[in-house]
């Protein structure tokens, strides 16, 4: 009986040892699995950080390239028309003297300038051009609105005829709105009678917007704060 009891005790102890060893092995395996998961998470985090840094670097490079392209384009356009850098893009200004008096017919000098502008734009595929006509405050609202639309349309028609893609050029007239100078003087009214060509696009890092989208429009009759012009002024 004593021998049987001793054998039973030995078997029980062996079973307990086996159970303890199994538990230890399971704990070790779980620890190794946790360490492997932690290592994988660290690798994924490092990879995401590296990819984020690369994406940031690529974005900075793209921004720098767009700025360089925009500056090069601005310099080229400035040789033809007065060109201003703005949040909306590059704004070329065609003064009233490039049109026949109170008409939307382009003068020969205007055609010559637009031909040069077209050649420059064709070297930068994908650029968008928004042609905007404006007038002073002399005359009726209806008359000024129509004249501004007709002048903008004439410029658009010329650009498209010079092979600038039709879908990349839009025209709109804004009549008396958005003056850039005081309408109470002859000089101010002369500045307000204009056609603007707003150039935008991914190549120069600027998306196309409507007047007033980048900044609040000026109040009626008050001049908009003028941007700093560059390039050749119109006669």
């Amino acid at each position: 009986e004593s021998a049987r009891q001793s054998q039973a005790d030995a078997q029980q102890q062996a079973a307990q040892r086996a159970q303890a060893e199994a538990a230890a092995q399971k704990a070790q395996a779980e620890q190794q699995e946790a360490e492997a998961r932690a290592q994988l998470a660290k690798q994924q985090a490092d990879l995401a950080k590296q990819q984020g840094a690369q994406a940031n670097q690529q974005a900075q490079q793209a921004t720098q390239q767009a700025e360089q392209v925009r500056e090069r384009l601005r310099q080229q356009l400035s040789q033809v028309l007065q060109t201003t850098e703005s949040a909306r893009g590059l704004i070329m200004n065609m003064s009233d003297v490039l049109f026949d008096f109170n008409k939307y017919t382009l003068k020969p000098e205007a055609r010559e300038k637009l031909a040069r502008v077209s050649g420059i734009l064709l070297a930068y595929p994908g650029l968008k051009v928004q042609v905007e006509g404006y007038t002073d405050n002399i005359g009726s609202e209806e008359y000024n609105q129509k004249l501004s639309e007709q002048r903008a349309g004439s410029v658009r028609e010329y650009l498209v005829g010079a092979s600038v893609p039709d879908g990349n050029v839009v025209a709109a007239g804004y009549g008396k709105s958005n003056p850039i100078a005081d309408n109470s003087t002859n000089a101010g009214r002369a500045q307000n009678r204009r056609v603007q060509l707003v150039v935008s696009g991914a190549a120069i890092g600027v998306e196309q917007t409507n007047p007033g989208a980048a900044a609040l429009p000026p109040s009626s009759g008050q001049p908009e704060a003028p941007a700093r012009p560059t390039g050749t002024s119109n006669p």
Side-chain angles (χ1 to χ4, degrees), residues 1-228:
E1 181 66 24
S2 177
R4 285 196 299 273
Q5 185 62 39
S6 297
Q7 185 178 7
D9 292 343
Q11 290 175 348
Q12 184 179 6
Q13 291 175 357
Q16 290 175 345
R17 285 195 300 272
Q19 185 177 7
E21 291 176 358
Q25 291 176 353
K26 181 180 179 182
Q28 185 178 9
E30 289 176 348
Q31 181 181 359
Q32 292 175 346
E33 183 180 358
E35 291 175 352
R37 286 198 300 267
Q39 182 65 23
L40 178 60
K42 183 178 182 303
Q43 292 175 350
Q44 291 175 338
D46 291 342
L47 179 61
K49 184 177 179 181
Q50 182 181 3
Q51 291 175 339
Q54 290 177 347
N56 186 51
Q57 183 179 7
Q58 291 174 350
Q60 290 179 347
Q61 291 176 346
T63 299
Q64 291 174 354
Q65 290 176 354
E67 290 175 350
Q68 291 171 358
V69 172
R70 186 167 67 248
E71 176 59 21
R72 184 166 63 250
L73 177 60
R74 184 194 65 79
Q75 292 177 0
Q76 292 173 334
L77 294 175
S78 294
Q79 301 301 315
V80 185
L81 289 170
Q82 185 183 83
T83 302
T84 304
E85 176 88 33
S86 79
R88 298 181 59 211
L90 298 176
I91 301 180
M92 290 176 283
N93 185 68
M94 293 182 63
S95 68
D96 175 63
V97 298
L98 294 176
F99 296 86
D100 287 334
F101 179 70
N102 275 350
K103 295 182 179 180
Y104 57 93
T105 309
L106 292 169
K107 289 185 176 181
E109 183 183 356
R111 293 176 176 274
E112 178 186 346
K113 290 178 180 294
L114 288 176
R116 294 173 62 188
V117 168
S118 300
I120 295 171
L121 295 177
L122 290 173
Y124 298 84
L127 289 180
K128 307 292 185 182
V129 183
Q130 185 159 313
V131 185
E132 302 169 354
Y134 299 93
T135 67
D136 57 25
N137 64 348
I138 303 299
S140 69
E141 190 79 32
E142 181 181 359
Y143 173 82
N144 282 298
Q145 179 63 33
K146 183 177 181 180
L147 180 61
S148 67
E149 291 174 358
Q150 290 173 327
R151 286 186 168 181
S154 293
V155 174
R156 180 190 183 278
E157 183 179 349
Y158 188 93
L159 293 176
V160 172
S163 299
V164 178
D166 181 271
N168 290 358
V169 187
V170 296
Y174 295 95
K176 306 176 183 180
S177 64
N178 297 323
I180 59 174
D182 191 347
N183 271 315
S184 65
T185 67
N186 290 333
R189 288 192 294 272
Q191 292 182 56
N192 291 330
R193 297 191 299 268
R194 70 200 187 277
V195 171
Q196 293 181 170
L197 288 76
V198 185
V199 181
S200 60
I204 60 174
V206 184
E207 294 301 324
Q208 189 177 57
T209 58
N210 292 323
L216 292 175
S219 17
S220 176
Q222 296 299 321
E224 181 182 6
R228 188 169 54 192

